[in-house]
Amino acid sequence: MRRRSILTAGAMALAMTMSVQVAHAAVIDLTTDGSSGSVNGALFYQFDSIPTGSGVIDSFLRIQGMGVQHGYNTDGTIEYDTMASFTHSIQISDLPTIDIGGTLYREFMLDINQNGEPILSLDELRIALWDTGNLSGYSSIFASPIYDLDAGGDNWIKMDYSLNAGSGHGDIIALIPDAVFTGLESQYVYLYSKFGVNSVADDGFEEWAYGLQSPLIPEPTTITLLGFGALFLPRRKRR
Ligand SMILES: [Ca+2]
Ligand SMILES: [Ca+2]
Ligand SMILES: [Ca+2]
């Protein structure tokens, strides 16, 4: 009897924890130099990725609009605010990996371009896999993404264009756990993103890319020094 009540209390505590997680909504503030944050296992990092020229990165998705804008990469018919130039399919094998704290991640770079309103929100980010690279019509694969920024709550990422202003400067590094990229390396990677809901988009395009030769972010030891360490090291208690 006593044991049963303990189990029930444990189950209730677990249920409460789960409900808190479901209701959890986070704002990852990347508006200071070198700031970072984590959502649903992915790491987001404010970082000046230069150079961003051809031969260094492959830009695979450009989105441009005013206010709210969204789109995804495909070799098929482009939709929404996706720009035809540069947008194309990519495969898992294209994405460089980086080991951080014993966990392997796949790296994406985001280059934002704003003018009158430097603060821009990344409100939705979904990554999905498929066997072919030319899906159109906002395929149902996005209903079963391997990564969803909004899984468990309406999360968003706050970014500041002015930190890395000017052409050729990437702004955000997104590291998605390699473990979610299940299946063959030849599988196609679809990235859907929406900007401007919490802070409006203006001016130039937003562009997703990956490093052609290696990850764009520095070696893990350097990353720790720059700030990722805060995610892995226990905080000191104040006395
Ligand atoms: Ca930029
Ligand atoms: Ca959101
Ligand atoms: Ca823009």
Side-chain angles (χ1 to χ4, degrees), residues 108-178:
F108 296 89
M109 186 203 78
L110 173 62
D111 182 2
I112 66 175
N113 291 287
Q114 296 278 100
N115 187 8
E117 176 50 72
I119 302 297
L120 175 66
S121 59
L122 171 60
D123 304 288
E124 296 182 22
L125 173 62
R126 278 186 284 286
I127 299 170
L129 303 177
W130 196 245
D131 296 336
T132 57
N134 59 353
L135 294 178
S136 298
Y138 191 70
S139 169
S140 59
I141 62 167
F142 288 116
S144 306
I146 58 167
Y147 180 78
D148 186 354
L149 179 70
D150 287 330
D154 182 9
N155 308 308
W156 63 283
I157 296 171
K158 189 176 183 182
M159 308 175 291
D160 186 350
Y161 163 75
S162 64
L163 292 174
N164 300 339
S167 63
H169 292 257
D171 300 273
I172 304 295
I173 293 289
L175 301 176
I176 311 295
D178 179 59

Side-chain angles (χ1 to χ4, degrees), residues 192-234:
Y192 169 90
S193 60
K194 179 184 276 187
F195 302 87
V197 176
N198 282 286
S199 190
V200 298
D202 70 7
D203 200 55
F205 52 78
E206 274 58 67
E207 178 177 277
W208 289 94
Y210 63 88
L212 281 168
Q213 289 136 29
S214 60
L216 300 165
I217 203 157
E219 291 297 308
T221 48
T222 314
I223 295 167
T224 302
L225 288 172
L226 286 172
F228 260 141
L231 294 170
F232 302 104
L233 298 173

